[in-house]
Amino acid sequence: MWLKPEEVLLKNALKLWLMERSNDYFVLQRRRGYREEGGGGLTGLLVGTLDSVLDSTAKVAPFRILHQTPDSQVYLSVACGANREEITKHWEWLEQNIMKTLSVFDSNEDITNFVQGKIRGLIAEEGKHSFAKEDDPEKFREALLKFEKCFGLPEQEKLVTYYSCSYWKGRVPCQGWLYLSTNFLSFYSFLLGSEIKLIISWDAVSKLEKTSNVILTESIHVCSQGENHYFSMFLHINKTYLLMEQLANYAIKRIFDKETFDNDPILDDPLQITKRLPKEETLKEVHECFLWVPFSHFNTHGKMCISENYICFASQDGNLCSVIIPLREVLAIDKTNDSSKSVIISIKGKTAFRFSEVKEFEQLVAKLWLKCGAASTQYHDISTEVPISFESVDPSDDIEVQSLICQRECSKTVNTEALMTVFHPQNLETLNSKMLKEKMKEQSWNILFTECGRGVSMFRTKKTQDLVVRGIPETLRGELWMLFSGAVNDMAANPGYYAEVVEQSLGTCNLATEEIERDLRRSLPEHPAFQSDTGISALRRVLTAYAFRNPKIGYCQAMNILTSVLLLYAKEEEAFWLLVAVCERMLPDYFNRRIIGALVDQAVFEELIRDHLPQLTEHMTDMTFFSSVSLSWFLTLFISVLPIESAVNVVDCFFYDGIKAILQLGLAILDYNLDKLLACKDDAEAVTALNRFFDNVTNKDSPLPSSVQQGSNVSDEKSSHIRVDITDLIRESNEKYGSIRCEDIYSMRCRNRLYVIQTLEETTKQNVLRVVSQDVKLSLHELDELYVIFKRELFFSYYWCLSSPVLKHHDPSLPYLEQYQIDCQQFRVLYHLLSPWAHSANRDSLALWTFRLLDENSDCLINFKEFSSAIDIMYNGSFTEKLKVLFKLHIPPAYTEVKYKDPSKGDELSKEELLYFSQLHVSKPAKEKEAESAKNSPEKGKEKVDIQAYLSQWQEELLKKEENIKDLPRMNQSQFIQFSKTLYNLFHGDPEEESLYQAIAVVTSLLLRMEEVGRKLHNPASSTKGLSGAVCASGGPSEGQTESHLEKDPSSLREEPQWSFAFEQILASLLNEPALVKFFEKPIDLKAKLENAKTSQLSSRTRK
């Protein structure tokens, strides 16, 4: 590698370097201790340690070239090399291109300047293809070189950054360098001859956390595949940990949780307020600035985030003030001429926002004007059809205007009123104490609207949160849920969408709709709204429409309970968009097959319990109790455990604060029942105590009729327990646990997602091994290691070959065996690593035919069960089983004639050739493939599970196991020739090679004679003189005679009548040769093969 010329004092360097070559202008040196017997003694060890600790490039580049000028002790380093070949190449280039030119200069200074300029030019030329964009590119280039040489990863692996740190091996710290790349965490250290090289793939990390103890003040703990690793002594440990966390979560989502990875909002939340925006929004700019709060008469400091269609602001203390401004609402954008650098944004409703101390505010104003023009065009069609009153401050007007046409079209189908309005209209003539309190709440909100504005762009302050904690009034609940959840923005961006989806989903029949129909009558069955067709039909439409919109989720239990409550307080279309906000943005990854989001939040909840309620943690021997109890809390937002009149207050807080409100309330409930839980002797007693507590939670201010209230059904006489008001409970949760920050929850979610997904992966592996172990002779330990290698090879393709069309990303909705499948290229790599027949000259062809044999459904993919069955036969199969596999490899459908495009490469197949041959004769029409797929996997997709399909599939598998050798087709002459060649190739290099060649020649001769005799018995006129004579001369062919004859004179075969062999004939003939039987029955050490595969799997990929 060419280096930026830097001065080197040769006088001191002679202790560390040895001279190898020199001329008038350049010196080639080798690092002391490199390639010397004994490592160069103590000096060599000390030099190696110094290189590792001080980040010298010498450990990686033990050779260097210096530029020298006569009569000077100062030299310039111009190149380094990892090996003699590399440095020799640079030396020769200098001699051929530079040396002759230097003789024309008169002064040493001119020579030095020329050399420096030339070397810098070479570096610049190389830099065109480099991705290093560091502040110090030269240093990063050196680190990149060291990274590549130390770990031998493929060049596609991108180094992100590197840090100096200590790795703790037991109680001994080893100083070295930590390299963070896109797919791996790598560490290298060299101390006094002891080399430590560590490579951990991010997708194998199950725990990543910052820890501290007596020995380590602060360290980063990484747990991978059951092994713990500790790194410490970072200069900026928080920055390092954050980057490691991001890389690990990126890998985990990209590989294991593809659905979430694809659906993740592009707008990563620098502010929690951005969670309320549509997920399609992307963050464009972030500015620090001040926002003038008119009703408080002060400027609050915070950040302004700008996306395509929204401007968001949140103060540094998120509870102090936040605001969302849709660009569709903007009427004017102005800038001030004073020194305040202010931007004034005026919106509909006579409201203006003043942002001051904005950097580059003039450019920002110009950009916002352009964005406003685009936004106004987007909403122009709607705004011109129905006049809008800018004087109005009621946000519901704007939403109604945008969906007016839609509502008119579908008014006959879709409810345009909340169910609570229809079934429980408020009677203003009979005002009791509860109704008066309700009116007072409404008045408090109206005062807030006067101060902070009303609608999408209202100021959200501490006072807003206080009013939410007290409970939102019944008449405002639907409007404010839409506002606080951000569903109002989704609905405004998609006018008419719900009506279209309802129309398209009507009459659809699939697994989701069947489950919906089954659960409709179970959704708040005690409420009058869902005892009538009106409520049931609305619930059916919303759930079916969402299942149609998002088939990945479809329908999940608990969605019906949540949607029922949404329909009580929101119009039908609004309830749909509220459900979208909850499922896709506020509770991501909750409502799917594996409910990963809920499991992650349960793990977060357990972590918070350990932090805030340690006495409870000490008492409970198993923390999984909290997971089992709290699952319904998270999935239904407490609706399933609390009376409806109390649960809606929890939903109020959830739409305002997100999951933070649910976690806080869960802690408050456990805290309130702490003494009872500590007195419980088992889990059942604790569950009973909590259920009794929930039954006694009331909402004394609820204006709902007593017939609807669930809490009122438990009479005070029957219950000796103290009643708890939900408002007091929520207020207490805010006071005690309000210090929990959204940023902390986000960090805990990232940490625990690693553990949750790795736990699910371990469950998948155990299920696969349990199924496969019943059909193979491999031990569970061998299967486990084989599974790790199989899965790792698949992941390597995900790392660097994402564009492969046949690769399927992890799909947890598939059966366990089908979740991970490999294509022919990946199988070839594993075949080379693991097969005892991989030394054969035609190993690529054998790998291809084996893959085609295993790929019974012709989808160009095989699963672990199919893969392990092949390995099992190769290592543990009997002589007959191994021969049967070889026989089937040389007859259709496995066998296909391989024609090499590039004969110079011998029997090696290119990747394109391999994939081409693997797909021959397997292409089928799409409908046929779908039918076959459904047949092979009855539970795949969302269709109804077909029990008959399962039974027939099971029966087919049983019949396959009973396959009789007599059922095998006969092998024709060209296939037999290839079969013979394969046997010759397998015997090559064996200690008994000569006797094996002789044995196979005898068998071949015997088979041909048998065929000739059989032919004469049936047809005396026919004969196989040419072939049998060549084979049988001198009592049997010598080594290679049969093979060479078959290769050189294939035309003679075509002239004679076709002949073929049955498997029984070949088997009987081979059994007569003890050398052949011994070869196939000799034991092979699979354990050593697996160990070698694990160590060389990555390097074999690098070579390719």
Side-chain angles (χ1 to χ4, degrees):
M1 181 181 79
W2 298 110
L3 299 177
K4 180 182 177 182
E6 291 184 354
E7 289 188 357
V8 175
L9 195 60
L10 196 61
K11 182 178 180 181
N12 295 330
L14 289 174
K15 297 176 183 178
L16 303 177
W17 294 88
L18 297 174
M19 191 84 69
E20 290 244 326
R21 292 190 192 181
S22 66
N23 56 38
D24 292 340
Y25 300 105
F26 297 100
V27 177
L28 192 157
Q29 295 180 328
R30 173 175 55 83
R31 192 70 162 173
R32 187 179 293 274
Y34 182 77
R35 293 287 172 89
E36 293 182 25
E37 290 188 18
L42 181 60
T43 305
L45 291 178
L46 290 173
V47 170
T49 300
L50 191 66
D51 293 339
S52 178
V53 174
L54 299 183
D55 189 32
S56 167
T57 57
K59 178 60 192 172
V60 170
F63 296 95
R64 71 177 183 181
I65 297 175
L66 305 179
H67 166 61
Q68 66 174 351
T69 52
D71 304 324
S72 173
Q73 287 295 313
V74 178
Y75 286 62
L76 296 175
S77 60
V78 294
C80 66
N83 50 55
R84 195 177 299 277
E85 291 75 18
E86 183 182 358
I87 204 69
T88 302
K89 184 178 177 182
H90 287 328
W91 179 266
E92 290 174 352
W93 189 92
L94 289 171
E95 285 187 330
Q96 294 171 11
N97 296 277
I98 301 294
M99 287 292 294
K100 296 176 181 178
T101 308
L102 296 182
S103 59
V104 303
F105 292 101
D106 296 329
S107 67
N108 291 337
E109 186 179 351
D110 291 339
I111 292 173
T112 301
N113 290 337
F114 175 79
V115 170
Q116 285 181 322
K118 191 65 179 176
I119 299 301
R120 287 195 177 98
L122 292 172
I123 293 173
E125 188 66 28
E126 286 182 350
K128 290 180 181 178
H129 309 291
S130 173
F131 60 88
K133 303 294 182 184
E134 294 286 306
D135 295 334
D136 188 352
E138 185 62 33
K139 191 173 182 182
F140 190 82
R141 286 177 75 247
E142 292 179 4
L144 180 60
L145 177 69
K146 187 172 183 179
F147 170 71
E148 291 173 347
K149 298 300 180 184
C150 281
F151 303 106
L153 296 172
E155 61 181 20
Q156 300 100 313
E157 183 66 17
K158 305 301 183 185
L159 178 64
V160 177
T161 189
Y162 61 101
Y163 301 99
S164 172
C165 70
S166 291
Y167 171 66
W168 289 79
K169 197 172 183 181
R171 291 181 173 270
V172 180
C174 303
Q175 184 65 28
W177 291 86
L178 181 72
Y179 298 88
L180 305 182
S181 59
T182 49
N183 297 295
F184 297 96
L185 176 155
S186 311
F187 177 83
Y188 184 85
S189 172
F190 184 85
L191 292 169
L192 298 177
S194 175
E195 185 181 56
I196 297 175
K197 190 182 293 185
L198 184 70
I199 302 178
I200 300 172
S201 57
W202 290 118
D203 55 68
V205 174
S206 58
K207 183 179 284 187
L208 182 64
E209 60 183 356
K210 282 191 295 184
T211 60
S212 60
N213 53 40
V214 178
I215 301 176
L216 303 175
T217 53
E218 208 171 16
S219 65
I220 295 176
H221 172 211
V222 179
C223 181
S224 171
Q225 297 178 342
E227 295 183 5
N228 294 306
H229 308 276
Y230 293 89
F231 302 90
S232 66
M233 300 184 189
F234 290 95
L235 188 60
H236 303 290
I237 191 167
N238 291 329
K239 177 184 175 183
T240 307
Y241 173 76
L242 182 62
L243 182 57
M244 290 170 71
E245 187 180 64
Q246 290 172 343
L247 288 169
N249 274 281
Y250 175 83
I252 287 289
K253 283 188 177 182
R254 178 166 59 95
I255 293 175
F256 295 116
D257 201 12
K258 185 68 166 51
E259 180 184 332
T260 306
F261 179 74
D262 287 340
N263 293 330
D264 261 357
I266 304 172
L267 181 59
D268 197 11
D269 64 337
L271 307 176
Q272 184 63 18
I273 191 68
T274 58
K275 289 287 187 185
R276 303 300 185 260
L277 301 184
K279 66 177 184 178
E280 295 81 11
E281 291 295 305
T282 55
L283 182 65
K284 296 299 182 182
E285 297 180 51
V286 179
H287 298 273
E288 283 200 25
C289 60
F290 290 87
L291 173 63
W292 173 250
V293 185
F295 49 88
S296 299
H297 302 288
F298 73 92
N299 279 308
T300 179
H301 181 249
K303 289 183 178 178
M304 175 169 58
C305 293
I306 301 171
S307 67
E308 288 95 342
N309 300 297
Y310 296 88
I311 301 170
C312 302
F313 176 88
S315 57
Q316 286 190 328
D317 175 6
N319 292 326
L320 186 61
C321 179
S322 62
V323 69
I324 295 176
I325 307 171
L327 295 180
R328 65 177 182 271
E329 297 283 319
V330 174
L331 296 177
I333 301 174
D334 301 300
K335 59 183 178 181
T336 58
N337 295 323
D338 55 22
S339 60
S340 63
K341 300 179 182 177
S342 297
V343 177
I344 300 172
I345 300 175
S346 303
I347 65 169
K348 301 169 186 177
K350 296 183 177 180
T351 304
F353 299 90
R354 184 174 185 268
F355 299 94
S356 58
E357 299 301 325
V358 182
K359 292 182 179 178
E360 300 178 350
F361 70 105
E362 292 180 344
Q363 293 91 322
L364 178 61
V365 169
K367 289 177 185 177
L368 290 177
W369 261 122
L370 290 174
K371 285 181 176 291
C372 286
S376 63
T377 303
Q378 183 177 348
Y379 294 92
H380 176 71
D381 294 339
I382 303 157
S383 60
T384 53
E385 289 180 10
V386 182
I388 299 175
S389 173
F390 296 155
E391 302 296 323
S392 171
V393 293
D394 187 350
S396 59
D397 291 348
D398 197 34
I399 302 304
E400 287 173 5
V401 163
Q402 293 173 8
S403 59
L404 187 57
I405 301 169
C406 153
Q407 290 182 4
R408 285 173 181 170
E409 290 176 353
C410 60
S411 59
K412 295 179 182 179
T413 307
V414 177
N415 291 344
T416 54
E417 294 293 337
L419 294 179
M420 195 63 78
T421 308
V422 176
F423 287 88
H424 304 291
Q426 292 188 9
N427 189 352
L428 300 178
E429 295 179 0
T430 57
L431 287 178
N432 52 28
S433 59
K434 290 185 177 180
M435 289 300 296
L436 286 172
K437 284 186 178 180
E438 188 75 3
K439 289 299 173 186
M440 290 173 64
K441 280 186 185 179
E442 289 182 24
Q443 188 59 33
S444 298
W445 277 96
N446 287 329
I447 293 171
L448 180 75
F449 291 150
T450 304
E451 289 183 355
C452 302
R454 185 171 184 175
V456 186
S457 302
M458 71 178 289
F459 284 92
R460 306 172 197 210
T461 63
K462 185 68 170 65
K463 187 176 179 180
T464 313
Q465 187 182 38
D466 293 339
L467 289 178
V468 171
V469 168
R470 287 170 54 190
I472 297 175
E474 299 279 306
T475 55
L476 296 175
R477 187 161 270 140
E479 174 191 330
L480 292 178
W481 282 359
M482 290 288 290
L483 177 64
F484 295 145
S485 67
V488 64
N489 297 313
D490 291 310
M491 186 170 164
N494 299 278
Y497 177 86
Y498 177 65
E500 292 175 10
V501 174
V502 168
E503 186 177 347
Q504 291 171 3
S505 62
L506 282 177
T508 55
C509 183
N510 50 40
L511 185 60
T513 57
E514 289 181 11
E515 291 177 348
I516 290 169
E517 288 297 326
R518 187 180 62 233
D519 289 346
L520 285 176
R521 305 284 173 181
R522 304 175 187 173
S523 311
L524 298 185
E526 67 287 341
H527 198 285
F530 298 101
Q531 295 169 359
S532 71
D533 258 357
T534 305
I536 293 294
S537 298
L539 181 59
R540 178 187 292 112
R541 284 192 295 271
V542 172
L543 291 175
T544 306
Y546 186 78
F548 184 84
R549 165 191 168 87
N550 191 342
K552 288 283 186 181
I553 292 178
Y555 171 77
C556 178
Q557 284 190 339
M559 287 171 67
N560 60 317
I561 297 173
L562 175 60
T563 308
S564 301
V565 174
L566 299 178
L567 282 167
L568 289 177
Y569 293 97
K571 299 171 186 177
E572 189 176 317
E573 184 179 6
E574 294 174 342
F576 171 79
W577 287 112
L578 284 169
L579 184 63
V580 170
V582 172
C583 294
E584 298 177 11
R585 198 170 59 244
M586 300 189 74
L587 294 179
D589 214 13
Y590 259 60
F591 301 97
N592 57 23
R593 195 182 186 105
R594 297 196 298 176
I595 57 171
I596 288 178
L599 295 175
V600 169
D601 282 344
Q602 283 180 298
V604 171
F605 187 50
E606 289 178 13
E607 191 172 334
L608 290 172
I609 293 171
R610 284 191 287 268
D611 292 342
H612 296 276
L613 300 170
Q615 61 272 50
L616 189 58
T617 308
E618 293 168 7
H619 175 71
M620 304 297 291
T621 55
D622 188 2
M623 289 293 284
T624 55
F625 163 75
F626 299 110
S627 298
S628 58
V629 169
S630 63
L631 182 59
S632 63
W633 302 358
F634 292 106
L635 284 173
T636 66
L637 308 179
F638 285 95
I639 296 171
S640 62
V641 293
L642 285 175
I644 183 64
E645 66 275 9
S646 302
V648 291
N649 283 36
V650 178
V651 179
D652 294 343
C653 298
F654 168 74
F655 279 130
Y656 189 82
D657 270 333
I659 193 63
K660 178 175 180 282
I662 305 300
L663 294 168
Q664 288 177 182
L665 183 59
L667 290 172
I669 290 170
L670 295 179
D671 189 22
Y672 191 92
N673 293 277
L674 186 59
D675 294 335
K676 295 177 184 176
L677 293 172
L678 292 175
C680 292
K681 297 176 182 178
D682 55 35
D683 292 353
E685 197 175 338
V687 171
T688 303
L690 287 174
N691 287 338
R692 193 176 291 121
F693 167 78
F694 287 129
D695 289 338
N696 288 278
V697 175
T698 63
N699 186 351
K700 62 177 184 286
D701 295 333
S702 174
L704 292 178
S706 57
S707 60
V708 175
Q709 292 192 35
Q710 297 171 350
S712 62
N713 297 332
V714 182
S715 65
D716 292 330
E717 296 175 4
K718 292 182 181 178
S719 176
S720 58
H721 296 271
I722 302 172
R723 297 289 185 140
V724 182
D725 187 69
I726 187 64
T727 306
D728 296 335
L729 192 61
I730 293 174
R731 185 180 292 112
E732 185 178 337
S733 74
N734 270 284
E735 290 171 356
K736 284 191 173 182
Y737 307 109
S739 59
I740 298 173
R741 301 185 312 148
C742 293
E743 292 82 357
D744 296 332
I745 294 173
Y746 177 77
S747 179
M748 285 188 280
R749 274 179 161 178
C750 289
R751 267 201 313 274
N752 287 288
R753 178 175 284 273
L754 299 175
Y755 172 75
V756 167
I757 291 184
Q758 293 292 3
T759 302
L760 292 172
E761 286 299 304
E762 182 64 24
T763 303
T764 298
K765 182 177 82 170
Q766 294 305 325
N767 284 317
V768 169
L769 297 186
R770 188 182 68 252
V771 172
V772 173
S773 63
Q774 299 173 6
D775 299 325
V776 297
K777 298 174 186 175
L778 297 169
S779 68
L780 276 175
H781 177 70
E782 290 170 339
L783 272 177
D784 191 302
E785 292 198 329
L786 195 62
Y787 183 87
V788 170
I789 294 170
F790 176 89
K791 187 173 162 184
R792 196 180 183 199
E793 182 59 36
L794 184 67
F795 285 2
F796 285 163
S797 298
Y798 290 166
Y799 293 166
W800 305 301
C801 306
L802 291 173
S803 59
S804 181
V806 294
L807 289 179
K808 290 185 178 179
H809 285 280
H810 180 50
D811 185 357
S813 66
L814 295 174
Y816 289 123
L817 280 171
E818 306 302 321
Q819 289 186 19
Y820 294 116
Q821 300 181 87
I822 59 174
D823 66 4
C824 194
Q825 167 64 14
Q826 296 159 331
F827 178 79
R828 172 171 64 172
V829 176
L830 293 176
Y831 186 90
H832 289 179
L833 290 171
L834 294 167
S835 173
W837 303 337
H839 64 275
S840 173
N842 65 333
R843 62 179 187 171
D844 277 5
S845 297
L846 281 176
L848 168 66
W849 298 331
T850 306
F851 179 84
R852 287 170 59 89
L853 179 65
L854 298 174
D855 182 23
E856 294 182 359
N857 62 351
S858 301
D859 64 351
C860 299
L861 294 168
I862 63 170
N863 60 36
F864 179 71
K865 183 178 180 180
E866 295 161 338
F867 173 75
S868 59
S869 67
I871 297 296
D872 181 56
I873 290 176
M874 291 177 191
Y875 283 91
N876 300 321
S878 64
F879 172 77
T880 304
E881 288 171 332
K882 290 179 181 177
L883 192 65
K884 182 179 172 182
V885 167
L886 282 171
F887 182 87
K888 291 170 77 172
L889 292 182
H890 293 82
I891 59 174
Y895 179 75
T896 181
E897 188 176 354
V898 177
K899 295 180 180 178
Y900 301 94
K901 294 180 180 178
D902 187 359
S904 63
K905 291 185 178 181
D907 292 336
E908 184 179 343
L909 287 168
S910 67
K911 182 178 178 180
E912 293 73 20
E913 288 174 329
L914 192 71
L915 293 176
Y916 168 75
F917 287 123
S918 69
Q919 296 169 18
L920 278 181
H921 310 301
V922 298
S923 57
K924 297 181 180 179
K927 291 183 179 179
E928 188 179 339
K929 283 187 176 180
E930 289 175 9
E932 188 170 310
S933 176
K935 178 182 175 183
N936 291 333
S937 181
E939 69 172 332
K940 192 172 179 179
K942 300 290 182 182
E943 299 303 319
K944 186 177 180 179
V945 177
D946 189 348
I947 302 300
Q948 292 298 324
Y950 269 119
L951 292 174
S952 62
Q953 182 181 346
W954 182 43
Q955 188 176 8
E956 286 176 11
E957 289 180 357
L958 288 176
L959 290 173
K960 285 176 188 175
K961 291 180 181 178
E962 298 171 2
E963 181 185 48
N964 196 310
I965 59 174
K966 292 182 179 179
D967 299 329
L968 292 173
R970 295 175 68 87
M971 181 182 282
N972 66 33
Q973 58 190 40
S974 64
Q975 294 161 1
F976 180 72
I977 293 170
Q978 185 59 59
F979 176 74
S980 302
K981 289 181 182 179
T982 298
L983 291 178
Y984 278 111
N985 288 328
L986 289 179
F987 302 152
H988 183 68
D990 190 271
E992 304 294 329
E993 184 176 353
E994 290 291 336
S995 59
L996 287 168
Y997 279 163
Q998 186 63 32
I1000 195 62
V1002 170
V1003 168
T1004 306
S1005 175
L1006 177 62
L1007 285 169
L1008 292 171
R1009 286 177 179 177
M1010 289 169 56
E1011 178 64 20
E1012 184 177 7
V1013 171
R1015 192 181 302 279
K1016 285 181 178 179
L1017 289 174
H1018 288 88
N1019 184 9
S1022 67
S1023 66
T1024 53
K1025 288 179 183 177
L1027 184 60
S1028 60
V1031 173
C1032 304
S1034 305
S1038 60
E1039 177 186 332
Q1041 184 178 339
T1042 303
E1043 183 181 354
S1044 60
H1045 177 82
L1046 295 176
E1047 281 182 341
K1048 292 177 181 177
D1049 194 16
S1051 60
S1052 62
L1053 297 179
R1054 287 193 288 269
E1055 294 170 2
E1056 298 293 335
Q1058 289 290 314
W1059 45 266
S1060 62
F1061 297 113
F1063 176 70
E1064 301 100 298
Q1065 292 175 294
I1066 296 176
L1067 175 63
S1069 302
L1070 291 174
L1071 282 172
N1072 288 325
E1073 297 296 327
L1076 293 175
V1077 176
K1078 183 181 177 182
F1079 174 83
F1080 283 108
E1081 288 191 341
K1082 67 181 177 184
I1084 307 171
D1085 188 1
L1086 176 59
K1087 183 179 178 181
K1089 202 76 171 177
L1090 289 171
E1091 286 298 323
N1092 180 65
K1094 283 195 292 186
T1095 55
S1096 59
Q1097 191 172 11
L1098 193 57
S1099 58
S1100 67
R1101 197 162 190 96
T1102 306
R1103 288 193 296 271
K1104 290 184 179 298

